[in-house]
Amino acid sequence: MNTYMPDLWRDMVRAIDASAASNDEAGQGGVSAANGLCQRAANAAYGAGKTTATYILKSGNQCRLTAVH
C-alpha cells in the first residue's frame, strides 16, 4: 500500500471501475465480445487452435493466452 499517497489506489480503482462500466464489462455481452477479440488476435498471431485467449477483466486491453497441447 502506498503510504505517501494513501488515496491513490482507491482513486485508481474507481477510475478503472468507471472505465469498465462504460465498456460494458459489467455485462456478459461486453465480456464475451472482449473474449472474442482476444481469441481473434491470438489466432492471427499464433494460428487457429494453438491457443485459447480470454480478456483480463478491467485491464482495458490485455488478454490471457494459454497454449493448447
Side-chain angles (χ1 to χ4, degrees), residues 30-52:
V31 174
S32 293
N35 285 338
L37 290 171
C38 285
Q39 189 62 58
R40 275 199 293 168
N43 289 349
Y46 301 106
K50 304 274 183 171
T51 62
T52 58

Side-chain angles (χ1 to χ4, degrees), residues 30-69:
V31 174
S32 293
N35 285 338
L37 290 171
C38 285
Q39 189 62 58
R40 275 199 293 168
N43 289 349
Y46 301 106
K50 304 274 183 171
T51 62
T52 58
T54 56
Y55 174 68
I56 298 173
L57 290 176
K58 298 183 183 181
S59 69
N61 64 355
Q62 296 179 8
C63 303
R64 177 173 290 115
L65 297 172
T66 305
V68 175
H69 298 283

